[in-house]
Amino acid sequence: MTIKTDILIIGGGSIGLNCAYALLQSGRSVTLLDAAEIGAGSSSGNAGHIVPSHIIPLAAPGVIPAALKWLLDPANSPFGLKISADPAYLRWLMQFAAACTEENVRRAIPAFKALGLLSAGKFSEIIAAENFDCAYAPTGLLFLYQTEAAFAGGKHEAEILQQNGLPAEILNREAVHAREPLARASVLGGVHFTGDASLHPAEFLRLLRQRVLALGADLRPNTPVTGFETQNGKITRVHTPAEEFEAALVILAAGAWSPAVARGLGLTLPIQPARGYSLTAKAPSVLPRQALLLGERKVAITPLRGASPLKNRLRFTGRLEIGKMSTTPNPRWLAAIERAAREYLQLDEKLEIEETWAGLRPTTPDGLPIIGFAPRRANLILATGHAMLGLSLGPGTGAVVAALANGRAPAFDLRPFAAQRF
Ligand SMILES: Cc1cc2nc3c(=O)[nH]c(=O)nc-3n(C[C@H](O)[C@H](O)[C@H](O)COP(=O)(O)OP(=O)(O)OC[C@H]3O[C@@H](n4cnc5c(N)ncnc54)[C@H](O)[C@@H]3O)c2cc1C
């Protein structure tokens, strides 16, 4: 059977659902296909940090030496690499190494700043307008440091933010302990990115999916896209196992699976999965006051204070394993994440872990997402490659995609995100 639709979105994670919401709000009709459950995959178990402070891309000077040093610490490394001779993977690694430059950082900052602020503003608008109860806490993100060297790095980052007009407070020992009484005495300083926020990602996406459905979207879980037909540079049909779809416009938002889907169109997207893990525990006797990031260990911590059934949970996330296309959590690294949290925080002796999880960050070699019309396909918009920021940048990406779909100029210069840069 062939189903005709206005806009067809492939992928129902943070990016696909936010695109659906923004497009519906702009008066368009939407069909969304997901190979699995909608809103349940890589976007659901993440740290839930909304971080307009994150303006420095993953590919930056100093990252390769730091990564090599971490690889020599097999017990605690926040970073891992797949060993593989796959040419696409090796090419990606070489592109990543080449992108670790000041020039990449300079190019990324204004684009990340514009998209991050747009997105953070949209989060608070959507949550207020739709009355979402999703543990939203606009209390900032506090980095904790245990060594002078890492604290110096944090201060440097804070200064870059301040120069770019974004809020960042540098906290000495006394100030950081006043801000986070759970911090252990070994914490010697901190940086508080006070414009950041956090929420329960799965809950936000569940509520967004309900809203999108109420606005009239045709949502189809368990409907993988298996291929395409094209004519004169346009997608004319999208195949799934049971049905075919004809759409005026197609949006590819399949996260780490985007390269596999794009291959069916003859497009090469340089995206590698970067696996990470989370553990969610029943709240200990005292919760941290705000979202935290453990500077040396790169572990994120999120207090989830929403209404029942989410009330009183504490989530720990970490690890970035490039090239691992698997969502099986590794108990060894889950234990390392919990160990790191205990190094920085006074937690109850025993935590009741309710959920362990692994997800895939869709990661480009320069650390910037791919957002915009695709090369050589007039009716295809790409919205993917958001790496460690796919939750945070979701509503902003939705707004930008809706602008493009409606022939309007987006609110800022999208060229740094163009697929044509590869
Ligand atoms: C440990 C960890 C912590 C993180 N913390 C944060 C954080 O604090 N803040 C933040 O902003 N980001 C965070 N991230 C990153 C964030 O989770 C990702 O960037 C985000 O999930 C990407 O969203 P997406 O919609 O692009 O992809 P996904 O959520 O992966 O969605 C893609 C969807 O496409 C579907 N799909 C795949 N193939 C097909 C097909 N053939 N046809 C149809 N559908 C298909 C999949 O089933 C999936 O549902 C974290 C990630 C990890 C792993």
Side-chain angles (χ1 to χ4, degrees), residues 10-16 33-37 39 41-51 223-226 253-257 261 274-278 317-319 357-362 383-393:
I10 304 172
S14 160
I15 302 302
L33 313 180
D34 197 293
E37 286 304 310
S42 304
S43 297
S44 65
N46 65 41
H49 292 182
I50 298 165
V51 280
T223 310
V225 168
T226 51
W257 294 267
V261 179
R275 182 169 63 175
Y277 306 107
S278 73
T317 65
R319 280 284 284 181
W357 173 89
L360 303 176
R361 305 170 183 92
T384 184
H386 292 72
M388 38 220 289
L389 297 173
L391 175 82
S392 188
L393 300 180

Side-chain angles (χ1 to χ4, degrees), residues 120-198:
K122 295 259 167 226
F123 265 112
S124 64
E125 265 171 50
I126 295 171
I127 288 167
E130 305 292 0
N131 204 13
F132 282 177
D133 181 1
C134 56
Y136 177 62
T139 43
L141 174 63
L142 177 62
F143 276 60
L144 302 177
Y145 298 101
Q146 290 185 319
T147 60
E148 288 294 352
F151 188 27
K155 286 193 256 193
H156 178 61
E157 196 176 325
E159 282 157 14
I160 296 175
L161 258 78
Q162 288 162 352
Q163 285 155 16
N164 283 282
L166 292 167
E169 277 182 57
I170 296 170
L171 306 174
N172 64 17
R173 184 186 286 273
E174 201 186 357
V176 75
H177 285 273
R179 195 95 21 130
E180 185 47 76
L182 269 187
R184 285 195 186 278
S186 53
V187 171
L188 54 77
V191 173
H192 198 175
F193 297 107
T194 50
D196 292 353
S198 62

